[in-house]
């Protein structure tokens, strides 16, 4: 079976000595390894303000706090995403306001987002679904016009770019997840990329109980509510070794994605996504829209290819029932969207086989 997702790990003889060194160093909490990892991650992403944390969800929560989101506020978001994007909004006490998607991409529709803005809107949560950058230019215009911060959930889009700058540089807050099956994993973890130096320093306090690591415990005075959201030296060490391979890993996703972009054109019953101008997807999942979706899934599975729609639309969960509204474009997309394998493990032979199976029909 060609899997839909698969965890990349560096060679054992490269990773294990580094892990053994840190595990027996006498210091495995947040320390020098985390600092070095953040600096090297900043070089890769092109943003000097990279704050590592223990999960992408923690990074989203910090972003919401920095954006000033509190009980009774509204956050506009998408129902087409992994659940933590939206459970963390509920965690903040804010009301979720769903906006519809652009059916050409699966990403949030900026025009519908703008229609949903009210005086209670404190943030807009936007997802680069499946590794396809959302309409960054239009959302930058919305952020500027209304003064409402965009929080970019880039969990699917590590290594993607817009106007030749990697995702992580276009909004006040961008979040990546380093969970097990993403492009880049530290076993678990995440990072919050920020534009503002002052907010970067405040985020450091929120990450660690409101306590500054620049001062002794006796010198500290907690002035902001903080949490135990820090990354540790063990996860950071995994990340440091992973960074040695990230260009090769992301490049393979992109090469496979571009191959499918060409090879799947004009096949009856299948429709490819469109990409916004000047954007380069990183194809965490390769998304297609197909007629007779369940037949497609069964046929591909029977032929040894794992395919799935993977994510359950979030507005169908009981926890979000009070926010339920009609989302006609998402309804339309849901009937047809499905993902096929596209990652670093998909060989040239695998991708040819996948295309040939699709051409045979379902």
């Amino acid at each position: 079976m060609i899997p839909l997702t698969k965890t990349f790990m560096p060679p054992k003889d490269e990773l294990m000595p580094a892990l053994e060194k840190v595990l027996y160093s006498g210091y495995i909490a947040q320390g020098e390894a985390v600092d070095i990892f953040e600096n090297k991650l900043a070089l890769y992403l092109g943003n000097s303000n990279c704050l590592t944390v223990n999960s992408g969800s923690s990074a989203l929560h910090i972003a919401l706090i920095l954006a000033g989101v509190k009980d009774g506020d509204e956050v506009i978001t998408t129902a087409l995403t992994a659940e933590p994007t939206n459970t963390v909004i509920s965690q903040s006490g804010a009301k979720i306001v769903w906006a519809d998607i652009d059916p050409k991409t699966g990403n949030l529709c900026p025009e519908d987002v703008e229609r949903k803005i009210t005086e209670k809107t404190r943030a807009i949560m936007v997802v680069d679904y499946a590794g396809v950058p959302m309409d960054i230019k239009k959302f930058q215009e919305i952020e500027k016009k209304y003064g409402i911060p965009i929080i970019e959930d880039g969990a699917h889009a590590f290594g993607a770019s817009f106007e030749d700058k990697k995702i992580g540089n276009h909004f006040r807050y961008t979040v990546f997840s380093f969970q097990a099956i993403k492009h880049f994993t530290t076993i678990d973890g995440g990072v919050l990329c920020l534009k503002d130096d002052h907010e970067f320093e405040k985020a450091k306090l929120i990450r660690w109980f409101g306590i500054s690591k620049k001062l002794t415990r006796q010198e500290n005075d907690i002035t902001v509510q903080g949490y135990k959201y820090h990354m540790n030296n063990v996860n950071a060490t995994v990340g440091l070794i992973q960074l040695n391979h990230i260009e090769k890993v992301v490049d393979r996703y992109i090469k496979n994605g571009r191959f499918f972009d060409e090879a799947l054109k004009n096949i009856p019953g299948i429709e490819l996504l469109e990409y916004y101008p000047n954007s380069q997807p990183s194809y965490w999942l390769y998304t297609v829209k197909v007629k007779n979706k369940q037949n497609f899934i069964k046929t591909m599975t029977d032929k040894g290819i794992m395919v799935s729609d993977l994510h359950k639309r979030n507005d169908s969960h009981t926890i979000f029932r009070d926010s339920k509204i009609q989302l006609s474009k998402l309804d339309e997309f849901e009937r047809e969207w499905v993902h096929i394998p596209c990652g670093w493990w998909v060989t040239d032979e695998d991708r040819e086989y996948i295309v040939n199976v699709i051409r045979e029909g379902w």
Side-chain angles (χ1 to χ4, degrees), residues 288-341:
V288 292
K289 296 194 287 183
V290 297
K291 303 300 181 184
N292 303 315
K293 179 175 169 178
Q294 294 309 313
N295 286 350
F296 180 86
I297 292 173
K298 184 180 186 305
T299 298
M300 298 293 280
T301 302
D302 289 346
K303 296 292 181 68
I305 304 164
M306 185 177 293
V307 301
S308 171
D309 43 17
L310 196 64
H311 293 107
K312 178 177 181 177
R313 52 184 291 174
N314 286 193
D315 59 342
S316 65
H317 289 290
T318 300
I319 191 175
F320 302 129
R321 63 174 176 254
D322 292 341
S323 301
K324 185 79 172 177
I325 60 168
Q326 183 68 39
L327 299 169
S328 59
K329 299 300 183 183
L330 179 53
D331 293 341
E332 172 189 328
F333 196 76
E334 184 181 27
R335 288 191 288 270
E336 298 184 337
W337 109 79
V338 69
H339 308 298
I340 64 176

Side-chain angles (χ1 to χ4, degrees), residues 166-184:
K166 285 191 176 71
I167 300 303
N169 294 279
H170 304 99
F171 297 101
R172 280 174 61 182
Y173 314 110
T174 304
V175 169
F176 295 105
S177 168
F178 298 154
Q179 183 262 349
I181 60 173
K182 298 299 191 295
H183 291 94
F184 180 88

Side-chain angles (χ1 to χ4, degrees), residues 137-273:
K137 184 177 180 180
K138 287 188 178 179
F139 278 105
Q140 286 176 328
E141 292 170 357
I142 289 172
E143 186 175 52
K144 183 177 181 180
K145 179 178 179 180
Y146 295 95
I148 298 171
I150 302 289
I151 301 173
E152 182 177 17
D153 182 342
H156 293 181
F158 197 76
S161 61
F162 172 70
E163 294 184 339
D164 297 323
K165 293 178 71 174
K166 285 191 176 71
I167 300 303
N169 294 279
H170 304 99
F171 297 101
R172 280 174 61 182
Y173 314 110
T174 304
V175 169
F176 295 105
S177 168
F178 298 154
Q179 183 262 349
I181 60 173
K182 298 299 191 295
H183 291 94
F184 180 88
T185 182
T186 57
I187 311 303
D188 213 342
V191 64
L192 171 61
C193 302
L194 302 108
K195 277 195 169 185
D196 184 83
D197 294 343
H198 174 73
E199 287 196 314
F200 182 50
E201 294 303 319
K202 185 175 180 180
K204 290 179 183 178
L205 295 177
I206 297 170
R207 173 177 66 175
W208 180 247
F209 301 116
I211 296 172
S212 172
K213 285 187 169 290
K214 296 178 181 179
L215 304 172
T216 68
R217 286 296 178 98
Q218 293 301 319
E219 293 171 321
N220 260 284
D221 175 33
I222 296 175
T223 58
V224 299
Q225 176 64 54
Y227 302 85
K228 194 176 189 296
Y229 283 169
H230 67 290
M231 180 174 277
N232 61 57
N233 281 353
V234 181
N235 293 113
T237 297
V238 174
L240 283 166
I241 304 303
Q242 291 279 43
L243 278 174
N244 296 335
H245 301 270
I246 189 58
E247 296 281 3
K248 178 181 68 176
V249 170
V250 170
D251 185 59
R252 186 63 196 185
Y253 278 90
I254 292 174
K255 283 182 176 178
N256 285 338
R258 287 176 172 172
F259 173 83
F260 288 135
D261 284 343
E262 292 301 318
L264 296 176
K265 283 180 179 177
N266 304 317
I267 295 178
I270 191 166
E271 181 182 344
L272 304 186
L273 298 188

Side-chain angles (χ1 to χ4, degrees), residues 22 29-38 232-234 236-237 240:
V22 72
Q30 180 189 338
E32 185 180 12
V34 173
D35 295 338
I36 296 171
F37 177 48
E38 287 180 344
N232 61 57
N233 281 353
V234 181
T237 297
L240 283 166

